[in-house]
Each structure stands twice: as structure tokens, then as C-alpha cells.
Amino acid sequence: MDKLPPSPIVSDIPATNRKLDLAGIATSYINAKGQHEVIHPDIRERLFSAMAASETQVDHSVISPVKVFCYGSEYQLILNQPGEYQWHLQLEDLSLVALPYEQPYHGKTLSTDIAITLPSSLPLGYHQLILNAPTGNWQCKVIITPERCFEPSSLLNGERLWGSCIQLYSLRSETNWGIGDFSDLKHALREIDQRGGAFIGLNPIHALYPANPQSASPYSPSSRNWLNIIYIDVMAVPEFQQNEAAQHWLHNEPIQQRLREARETFLVDYPQVMALKLEGLDLAYQQFKLLDERHERVQAFAYFQQNCAQALQQQAEFDALHAWLAAENKQMWGWPAWPVEYHDAANPAVRLFVQRHPDEVRFYAWLQWLAHTQLGECFALSQRQGMAIGLYRDLAVGVAEGGSDTWCDKTLYRMKATVGAPPDPLGPLGQNWGLPPMDPMILQQRAYQPFIELLRDNMNHCGALRIDHVMSLLRLWWIPYGETADMGGYVTYPVDDLLAILALESQRQKCMVIGEDLGIVPPEIVHKLQQYGVYSYKVLYFEQAGINHFKLPQDYPAQSMATITTHDLPTLRSYWHAGDLELGESLGLYPDKATYNALRLSREENKRALIATLIECGLLTEKPQDMSMMTAELSYAIHQFIALSASLLVGLQPEDWLGIVMPVNVPGTTDQYPNWRRKLSCELQEMFEHPEVNELLKAVHSGREIA
């Protein structure tokens, strides 16, 4: 055997490489084909230059700013510089504030000590260690977390639940204003509950851009901490009902005509809908301003403002300023396009605007209160009905370049990079989502507070939270700004700390967690997600066992949610007819004709394999005569198949009940396709009165009970 060369010692590694490694920029990764792929050194350097690590250094001279422990482990804080320090620990519960003279939450270190061992009696939560010495003072947030995320008792007892995953904007009704709203959501909750369903899953309902309604992607939000006001049901707002001018406006024939047109369109007309809603809500706001300050709604809004504090104020300032600038110039799509004096929330020009337009700012804060109130009513309804989960919300992987989150916090978000995904079979060219990433080093420097607040805001008013691209807790594909998706590299994140905090917030909010773990899933995160009680996401199309065979229902893992498809994939009918592949070819999403032909061939093989599996399970008696057609019988069998899965959760799309072909989103496109606009083909009431839909849902519910 040849003798191996000696391993290089650390000092032999170039300083440049060490700094890139310390910043968490990967040197290579395993691609979708299972092959080792090296990240070009120039790309690594460009990613480093985009990070805050190249601009600031975190002061860890004595102790790190944050330390996360699992409950029951040894709580030991390592000192970077041994010395004589006095320390005391302030518990999160202010009723248990530990003063220096109170045992056991204070102590001293010796000059030779390299660690502080904290009491084993520390409760779950966020505590603050304060370290004092003649040379300075330091603080470290000490976070004690549970082992696993919250799970409803029904799932712990082995019950198999099902629900519907809807795009809220796609719902039709005779009362909405051209887009699904929170009242439509209440209607859907009642219907799903009556048929035995346990939840409705929503697309992200994060804040978008009232002044730029064409930017409609729920996965490119202005802020992930606030709500999209377009989902407010204006007619359910008491002040709109009580205002004579509002009622006169509503029943004016030109307004009625605009409402009819908005309802009847095949695609959501976001500019028309937003204009109508803002007009109606402005009239309602005028009525609200007339209410006595002791009125219960005025007091409720005041409490909301006080509780949300500066974060709400900044969101309202952004929306009000955006509306003011866009009224003069429609090209003001986001803050990078604004005059430079408005580029930062703290700039004097912004503060002057706020001083001169306090009522406009308060109006947008009021709209957030309305949206939270109506969403809260939806969740409360689901709980009164006894739905085990009720609502589950969706947390997008990031925020858009020109929105309020980046406007308020340019240090946390790195504007010289965007995130996406490397090339894979679904996206042979890769994907660039145009979202600036959070800097993991700044996240740690701030003791993870932005992440904590993000979880709290999104676990509000729901029983489950789906985390889009959950691998982002471990790593994100960063792309230097302006480059194509294949010219990127992975940047690592403190996955153990983030998952532990996720478990703590999940338990506190009684909100279970579902992780969307599709695409290139590194093996190191699979076990971690299982360990922390994060439910996996299993899509029928991908759940295959070897060549020409799909996994049997009993082989699905219990700790998962099974679905037929997702918002980024073709509907069942489109999948069967290969309509998605034809659409992708027409949009130029494949690098060459050979790729398209290979995908078509693979699709035909998958269809034959699925038919064979359905026959093996006794859900079909024989192979269909026409394999090219998605029939009602075949759709019924596929829904039965997924209902029988061992997954404790099953989520189904109304598009598949109705046989819709057109997808809601085509990944890799922007204006080439009308993403996030396609409505359902019929109104809610009509859908739930349809005999075939009811027969299908009855079979799904029975399958869940049998499984």
C-alpha cells in the first residue's frame, strides 16, 4: 500500500482559504446526480465579499453573544479569555430576576477558569448572562430548548389526518372582490371540517406591496413578519358597514361593474383588486377615526400598536412612503428605485415624511390590525370546530430585494447576493429567486433575535407552520448579485442552534412544524429534522422505490405529510398529460431538446410504474386502455393511494379535485408566465356541492381511518 502524504497543518492553509472556511462558504457539494461538484474559488471569494464578515468583526474576546443548550444537558459556557469575572444570570421570567446576591444564579471565576457552569435548574427559555470585570462588561444570551417540536395529541396518538392545501388568492366566491379573502377561508374551513378534514394549508400570506400590486409572488414578500392586506374582506369590516359614504360608494353602479369584472376574470387582476380594496378601506378608516377613544375597537387597535411597537411602525412607514412615491411615479417598484434620500428608514427625509403624513402611516398600521384580526377569527373558528390543526401557514425562504425588511435592516440582509438552487432535474438551469440572504454571522451576533421574531410572527393564528426550503436552516445556495443560478455556492448556517430555537418556539406557540425538504437534500439534515420532530414533505411524484415502481403507502414515514403535488409542480392532470413539460419547453426552461425528450420519456415510464403500483394495491383492477388520459377513475385511485399512506398528515389540492391543468407557478419564470394569478375553475360553494368532489373527499377520509 502506498504511503499517504502527511495532512497539512493549519498554519499551512492559506489565510484566504481559512477566512472563507470560517465564513461557512463550502468548497464543494453533491449535485442532483450524486456527483461531487467543486465550487470555483472565484465564486467563493465573491460570496465572501458579499458577507458582513468582510466589513465587521464580531467581538468574541471574552464570550460568545449567544449559547444554545438542550434542556437537561450540561450548561457550560466557554470563555475565550480566562480571567477573574463576576457573573449573574437574569432569567427570562422577570419575576425570577436573579440579582447578584441570589443563589444559585451568580458567581465568580478564578483567573485559571476557562468556563462557567450554570445551574442545572435553568428552565426552558431565553436568559441573559452578564459578565463583569474591571476591563469591561459582556453579555451572552443563554437559550434552553426542548428536544422536539410540538405535535398535537391526535398525531401523538397515531391518528392520520388530512386537509386541503389552497392558494388563498385563487378562491372564487360570489361575495369576494376578485381574490380569495379571509371570509372565503372561513367558508372553506367549515366545508373541510364537515367532511372530516383537520386543516387547511395556506400559501404564504406575507406582506407584499400595496403600492405595487403587480409584484404578487407570495414567495418574494416585502416582509415575512407582516400580512398581505389584500386578503382583508372589506365588507366584513364594521366601520365599512357603518359608514354611509362607504355604502353609497359600494352600491354605485361603476363600482359594482368593477367588482363584477374583478370576480369574473380568469386570472387575479391584482391592480384592480388592490385599488378597490384601498378605496373601500380608506372610507372605513374615516369612520374608524370618528370612534371614541374608549371604544373597544379603538382600544384593541391601540393595544395592537403598543404590542407590536417599532416593528409595526416601520412596516406602516414603508407602505405609506411607497404609496406616496408611487403616486408620482409608477416605476417606484421598491426602495432601490426610490430617490436616494429615502433609501434608509433612519434618513432625515424619511423622518420628515413621517412627521408630515402621520395619518397615512397610521392607516397602514390599521390595515395590518384588520388583517391580523380577520386571520385570528379564521383560526378561532377552526378551533371551535375541533379541527386538530386548523390552519397551517407557510414561511417563505426569504424576502425580496426592494421590500420593507431589507429597507429596515440592511446589515442583516446581504444585498450583493441572492439565493436560489443549483441545477437539478426540475430546473436544469438552476433557480435564482432574487432574494437577498440573511447573513449567518450577523444572525449569531444578534443572538438569533431576528429568527426568533420571525417564528413568533408566523406561528401566530395557526396550528402548524410549513417552512419552505427547510434546508435553509443548514445551508443556502448564494449567488453573486447579477449572476446566473449555476454560478453560486453553498453558505452554511448554524443548523443545530436554529432547529433548537425552532423547537422552543414551536412548543411555546403549540404549533407543529412541517419542513419542505425537496430538491437536493443533504443527508446530514435528514436525521436532524427527524430528531427535532419536524415533519418531512413527501410528494407522490418523487416517492419511488427503485426502477419502475412507486413506494407503497405503508412505506411512507409516519413523521411526514404526504401530497400528490405542490404549488411548484404540475397539477395531477397536467402531470399525466405532460402539459408541464410542454409548457417548460415553450418557455425555454430546458437547455436543449434532448433534455426535454428525456423528461418526456421519464414521465411515460413513471406513469406506467404508478399504474402498476395502483394495481398492486388493489386500487385499480387493470391497466387503463388509454394511458394518455387522466380519468375520474384514475384520479380517484391516486387520491385513495395517498390517503392510505402511513404519513400522519395528507394534504390535497382543490386543483386536482377539479381537474385543473394550468399550474399556479412555473419555477424559473417571472413575466414569461402569469404565476400566482390563476383562480380555481368554480366558486367555493359550487365545488363543495359537486358530487364527484364529495365522493372523492369521502374516500380520502375513509382511507385515512383505514390506514
Side-chain angles (χ1 to χ4, degrees):
M1 180 182 291
D2 294 336
K3 186 177 181 179
L4 294 174
S7 300
I9 59 176
V10 172
S11 60
D12 288 339
I13 300 174
T16 298
N17 288 349
R18 283 204 303 273
K19 74 178 184 182
L20 299 180
D21 294 341
L22 289 172
I25 304 172
T27 57
S28 62
Y29 69 101
I30 303 301
N31 66 21
K33 298 178 181 178
Q35 302 166 335
H36 186 83
E37 192 148 339
V38 175
I39 298 170
H40 196 280
D42 287 348
I43 292 294
R44 296 186 76 216
E45 283 283 359
R46 291 180 65 184
L47 294 180
F48 181 79
S49 69
M51 300 179 75
S54 62
E55 303 169 11
T56 62
Q57 293 296 323
V58 179
D59 180 12
H60 288 176
S61 57
V62 173
I63 196 168
S64 298
V66 62
K67 182 64 178 176
V68 181
F69 298 101
C70 182
Y71 183 78
S73 62
E74 184 180 22
Y75 307 146
Q76 190 174 74
L77 296 170
I78 304 299
L79 299 173
N80 298 322
Q81 291 184 13
E84 296 183 1
Y85 306 102
Q86 288 189 336
W87 62 267
H88 74 273
L89 191 69
Q90 180 174 300
L91 300 186
E92 180 182 21
D93 186 342
L94 295 181
S95 67
L96 298 175
V97 170
L99 299 174
Y101 55 81
E102 292 181 319
Q103 292 284 358
Y105 301 116
H106 84 281
K108 294 181 180 180
T109 63
L110 302 176
S111 60
T112 56
D113 287 345
I114 61 171
I116 297 172
T117 300
L118 300 176
S120 60
S121 59
L122 284 180
L124 297 176
Y126 305 93
H127 315 300
Q128 197 73 24
L129 180 87
I130 301 170
L131 199 64
N132 299 306
T135 55
N137 303 303
W138 299 267
Q139 293 190 15
C140 174
K141 180 184 285 185
V142 179
I143 307 177
I144 312 297
T145 69
E147 293 183 350
R148 288 174 62 86
C149 292
F150 172 81
E151 294 172 84
S153 59
S154 54
L155 297 184
L156 293 174
N157 292 333
E159 292 183 39
R160 288 168 166 80
L161 309 177
W162 70 274
S164 176
C165 300
I166 68 171
Q167 305 291 311
L168 183 52
Y169 58 83
S170 72
L171 300 185
R172 291 178 179 267
S173 72
E174 61 181 14
T175 58
N176 75 33
W177 287 16
I179 191 170
D181 58 32
F182 290 128
S183 290
D184 290 331
L185 180 55
K186 286 182 180 179
H187 183 173
L189 282 166
R190 294 187 185 98
E191 298 287 357
I192 291 295
D193 174 62
Q194 289 172 11
R195 289 157 180 79
F199 63 86
I200 283 183
L202 298 173
N203 58 285
I205 51 176
H206 306 314
L208 295 182
Y209 313 85
N212 183 24
Q214 287 284 25
S215 294
S217 171
Y219 291 95
S220 296
S222 173
S223 173
R224 292 187 292 174
N225 296 81
W226 299 102
L227 296 177
N228 189 350
I229 64 169
I230 205 168
Y231 293 127
I232 296 171
D233 178 4
V234 181
M235 292 198 292
V237 177
E239 290 78 25
F240 184 79
Q241 299 170 356
Q242 297 159 7
N243 185 276
E244 291 185 9
Q247 293 304 306
H248 177 76
W249 171 86
L250 175 64
H251 294 97
N252 195 349
E253 180 53 33
I255 298 301
Q256 286 293 310
Q257 179 62 28
R258 288 169 61 189
L259 288 171
R260 284 192 293 270
E261 291 172 356
R263 288 192 191 105
E264 292 168 3
T265 56
F266 176 68
L267 303 175
V268 177
D269 185 347
Y270 283 99
Q272 174 77 303
V273 171
M274 185 60 79
L276 281 165
K277 293 212 171 188
L278 286 177
E279 288 175 37
L281 289 167
D282 180 66
L283 291 167
Y285 181 59
Q286 303 310 314
Q287 181 71 24
F288 181 81
K289 290 192 296 183
L290 299 177
L291 298 178
D292 187 273
E293 63 180 12
R294 293 168 294 181
H295 193 284
E296 61 178 356
R297 285 180 59 80
V298 175
Q299 290 186 342
F301 174 48
Y303 176 80
F304 181 77
Q305 287 179 293
Q306 181 181 6
N307 191 50
C308 299
Q310 183 64 18
L312 174 63
Q313 178 68 16
Q314 288 183 321
Q315 178 65 34
E317 288 177 4
F318 177 88
D319 285 337
L321 178 57
H322 193 185
W324 183 68
L325 292 169
E328 297 296 325
N329 184 351
K330 294 298 182 184
Q331 301 306 312
M332 300 286 183
W333 54 269
W335 67 260
W338 298 354
V340 67
E341 62 266 29
Y342 298 114
H343 278 197
D344 194 290
N347 281 354
V350 176
R351 306 326 313 156
L352 182 61
F353 168 82
V354 173
Q355 291 172 14
R356 291 178 174 176
H357 300 84
D359 197 50
E360 290 92 327
V361 173
R362 185 171 181 260
F363 171 65
Y364 281 98
W366 184 71
L367 295 184
Q368 283 297 326
W369 173 65
L370 290 181
H372 278 79
T373 300
Q374 291 193 357
L375 176 62
E377 291 171 353
C378 293
F379 184 55
L381 171 64
S382 73
Q383 299 308 284
R384 288 197 304 273
Q385 292 176 164
M387 301 177 79
I389 295 173
L391 288 179
Y392 90 64
R393 295 175 59 180
D394 196 340
L395 176 62
V397 71
V399 295
E401 173 190 7
S404 63
D405 279 1
T406 56
W407 183 67
C408 295
D409 198 345
K410 295 181 180 61
T411 303
L412 178 61
Y413 294 95
R414 310 319 300 163
M415 306 304 292
K416 295 180 182 178
T418 57
V419 299
D424 62 22
L426 283 180
L429 302 177
Q431 297 178 45
N432 187 338
W433 303 325
L435 311 173
M438 283 186 178
D439 190 311
M441 296 187 72
I442 297 300
L443 202 57
Q444 287 179 293
Q445 183 181 358
R446 297 191 187 176
Y448 302 121
Q449 194 59 34
F451 181 68
I452 295 166
E453 293 172 0
L454 183 65
L455 293 178
R456 288 175 179 171
D457 289 338
N458 284 275
M459 288 179 172
N460 197 17
H461 304 314
C462 63
L465 179 67
R466 174 188 180 274
I467 299 181
D468 187 53
H469 197 66
V470 73
M471 287 84 74
S472 64
L473 299 179
L474 171 70
R475 66 183 190 182
L476 264 177
W477 183 258
W478 284 34
I479 306 161
Y481 193 89
E483 287 288 357
T484 54
D486 57 328
M487 298 296 288
Y490 277 112
V491 174
T492 60
Y493 285 72
V495 60
D496 291 308
D497 286 358
L498 297 178
L499 280 172
I501 292 169
L502 178 64
L504 175 57
E505 289 301 321
S506 170
Q507 291 285 357
R508 287 189 162 188
Q509 309 298 330
K510 291 185 168 45
C511 178
M512 69 174 296
V513 181
I514 302 163
E516 188 266 298
D517 51 354
L518 306 178
I520 300 176
V521 183
E524 58 264 39
I525 198 171
V526 175
H527 175 69
K528 289 182 184 293
L529 293 173
Q530 292 173 346
Q531 179 184 1
Y532 277 98
V534 176
Y535 277 53
S536 183
Y537 208 66
K538 300 300 179 184
V539 179
L540 172 65
Y541 299 161
F542 304 142
E543 293 303 303
Q544 301 182 31
I547 301 174
N548 297 327
H549 198 275
F550 277 73
K551 285 184 181 178
L552 296 174
Q554 60 266 31
D555 294 331
Y556 279 61
Q559 190 177 303
S560 69
M561 183 168 96
T563 70
I564 295 174
T565 183
T566 77
H567 59 267
D568 281 335
L569 296 171
T571 64
L572 182 56
R573 181 173 290 273
S574 180
Y575 175 87
W576 205 261
H577 296 169
D580 60 310
L581 301 181
E582 294 177 5
L583 181 60
E585 169 73 358
S586 69
L587 296 174
L589 299 184
Y590 310 127
D592 48 50
K593 193 72 174 179
T595 300
Y596 168 71
N597 290 335
L599 290 171
R600 284 296 303 252
L601 179 61
S602 176
R603 180 64 56 81
E604 291 304 313
E605 292 173 347
N606 288 341
K607 287 164 59 177
R608 286 193 291 270
L610 182 55
I611 290 294
T613 306
L614 292 172
I615 292 174
E616 179 182 347
C617 293
L619 299 174
L620 284 180
T621 56
E622 59 184 1
K623 178 181 175 181
Q625 291 184 347
D626 186 355
M627 281 284 292
S628 66
M629 296 300 295
M630 170 54 63
T631 63
E633 180 187 13
L634 182 55
S635 174
Y636 188 89
I638 291 173
H639 278 81
Q640 282 184 304
F641 178 88
I642 207 70
L644 290 170
S645 73
S647 299
L648 290 178
L649 296 176
V650 160
L652 303 172
Q653 295 194 148
E655 285 85 350
D656 295 331
W657 312 341
L658 299 171
I660 293 174
V661 173
M662 186 176 178
V664 298
N665 176 52
V666 178
T669 65
T670 51
D671 54 1
Q672 306 100 307
Y673 181 84
N675 294 319
W676 317 114
R677 287 165 169 78
R678 192 263 295 132
K679 299 179 185 180
L680 293 181
S681 55
C682 65
E683 293 183 357
L684 275 174
Q685 185 171 347
E686 180 183 353
M687 178 174 70
F688 284 110
E689 289 176 350
H690 199 291
E692 288 187 5
V693 170
N694 281 300
E695 184 180 355
L696 185 67
L697 296 185
K698 184 178 180 180
V700 166
H701 186 64
S702 298
R704 294 270 74 197
E705 291 182 325
I706 293 172

